Amino acid sequence: MVIGCIKGLRPRRCLMPAAVAAALAGASPLSRAQPQLARSALEEAESRVPAGTDVDLRHGLDLVMGRAGCTGAGQCAPCYQCHQIRGQGSVTAEFPRVAGQSFRYLYASLQDFASGRRNDPTMTPIARALTPQDMRDVAAFYSAQEPRTQATAGLAARKTSPTADVLAAGGALAAIGSAERGVQGCANCHGPQGAGLPPVYPYLAGQYPNYLEAQLDAWRSGRRSAGGEGFDVMADIAKRLTREDVHAVAEYYASIEPPRTLRDENYAGALDIGAPLSAARPEPRRNPTQQSGARAEPSEPGQRPPLQGEPPDEKLSVPPNRIP
């Protein structure tokens, strides 16, 4: 476990030595509750990820808790100190809610941080410490958590509430955008009421406003990039927004209750870009060479099926780790 500040971090992003020492000593009620909370989170993840997927949820929890060593070249640190055990993040800092985000989005984000395509003083060194399998395990663990967990309590902790005018302006941008400035509605990619379009586009509902504002500002300034011309749609949209627009749309999405995690669909179904968000299990996609009614089998004995939405080995028309 890392104690102290990672080099280059802003003060509010330091891992506070006193807090860490207290947690290790079991001095606070929160620390005494952590083992039970961790077990509960693992059980929740195991109930959502079908058996046979090539991830180790227990190892993912160990990475979250800082109990697993890192073999990469970066700075190893426990995820829970910023994102919490269940992935609720922080309402006061720029630590996003990651619970219930799609596996593919979280996995691709870690790849982007590790490669330098997406640079952040906290996440870049941490991601570089992870192997590809580490990334898969921790992404699967967090993606299987319920995003509504403690969402109401987190938003209630905000010191100020947005006005009705701010929410209305943000809602209009989210739903229809601005034809006058050439801004498409956020819902086109992020789904109705910010529910996301898994496995690629993340949900925004219930995300913290300071994090959303920080990311939109990063797109506007060029500090965040999706990896090349033709893929930076968010950069183009963000640069067309005023500072007031950024604040309004962030407050609007923060005011919406996060979506419920879809069970097996996120992992084992045929969910793809643009698929409807439905509690009904989608019809699996068949191989054209497969006879009707025949069950698809792994190509090699003992081979496990990949997690739904995981970037396949073959090249995609849109690289999965370059989608905003």
Side-chain angles (χ1 to χ4, degrees):
M1 177 177 288
V2 176
I3 298 179
C5 297
I6 299 176
K7 185 177 180 180
L9 300 192
R10 287 175 288 179
R12 66 176 172 179
R13 291 198 170 191
C14 291
L15 307 178
M16 303 303 290
V20 175
L24 291 175
S28 69
L30 177 61
S31 68
R32 289 194 292 271
Q34 281 181 346
Q36 182 177 353
L37 183 60
R39 285 194 298 270
S40 176
L42 179 60
E43 290 172 0
E44 184 166 331
E46 290 176 336
S47 74
R48 289 196 166 112
V49 179
T53 51
D54 191 17
V55 294
D56 186 341
L57 292 172
R58 290 181 180 274
H59 182 236
L61 174 60
D62 286 342
L63 288 164
V64 168
M65 301 301 295
R67 300 191 299 236
C70 302
T71 58
Q75 181 76 62
C76 189
C79 312
Y80 85 89
Q81 289 185 318
C82 295
H83 296 287
Q84 301 192 51
I85 296 174
R86 286 184 174 268
Q88 302 102 299
S90 170
V91 70
T92 56
E94 293 172 11
F95 304 137
R97 188 190 306 282
V98 294
Q101 288 288 15
S102 76
F103 166 82
R104 177 171 173 174
Y105 177 77
L106 294 178
Y107 179 54
S109 295
L110 287 170
Q111 288 183 311
D112 283 351
F113 283 125
S115 69
R117 182 175 290 115
R118 184 176 173 183
N119 191 31
D120 180 86
T122 304
M123 282 304 305
T124 295
I126 291 174
R128 286 176 177 168
L130 303 176
T131 66
Q133 187 62 49
D134 290 339
M135 295 179 188
R136 288 164 51 81
D137 294 343
V138 76
F141 175 83
Y142 271 140
S143 69
Q145 299 301 311
E146 173 57 67
R148 286 189 177 188
T149 303
Q150 297 185 4
T152 303
L155 293 176
R158 295 165 60 188
K159 294 182 179 180
T160 59
S161 298
T163 65
D165 288 343
V166 168
L167 291 177
L173 284 169
I176 61 175
S178 171
E180 181 182 11
R181 279 173 285 157
V183 176
Q184 64 171 302
C186 310
N188 290 353
C189 293
H190 294 284
Q193 295 186 318
L197 285 177
V200 175
Y201 299 102
Y203 73 77
L204 303 180
Q207 192 57 272
Y208 300 118
N210 46 6
Y211 173 75
L212 292 176
E213 286 197 48
Q215 294 308 302
L216 284 169
D217 284 341
W219 286 113
R220 293 174 75 205
S221 67
R223 287 183 287 110
R224 182 171 176 181
S225 168
E229 186 177 356
F231 297 107
D232 287 335
V233 61
M234 277 302 306
D236 179 67
I237 291 173
K239 288 174 182 177
R240 297 171 186 265
L241 300 177
T242 66
R243 194 68 196 78
E244 291 74 18
D245 292 337
V246 168
H247 176 70
V249 78
E251 290 288 355
Y252 169 75
Y253 276 123
S255 70
I256 302 175
E257 190 172 68
R260 286 193 180 278
T261 298
L262 296 176
R263 290 187 180 264
D264 296 349
E265 286 87 344
N266 278 346
Y267 303 93
L271 196 61
D272 207 338
I273 300 174
L277 296 176
S278 170
R281 190 179 183 84
E283 182 70 19
R285 192 178 301 167
R286 290 191 177 93
N287 188 307
T289 62
Q290 182 183 344
Q291 294 182 355
S292 178
R295 183 178 177 182
E297 298 292 342
S299 57
E300 298 179 7
Q303 180 179 344
R304 293 177 175 178
L307 279 174
Q308 168 60 24
E310 179 185 358
D313 292 335
E314 64 268 19
K315 185 178 180 180
L316 296 178
S317 58
V318 179
N321 60 348
R322 294 190 179 185
I323 299 176

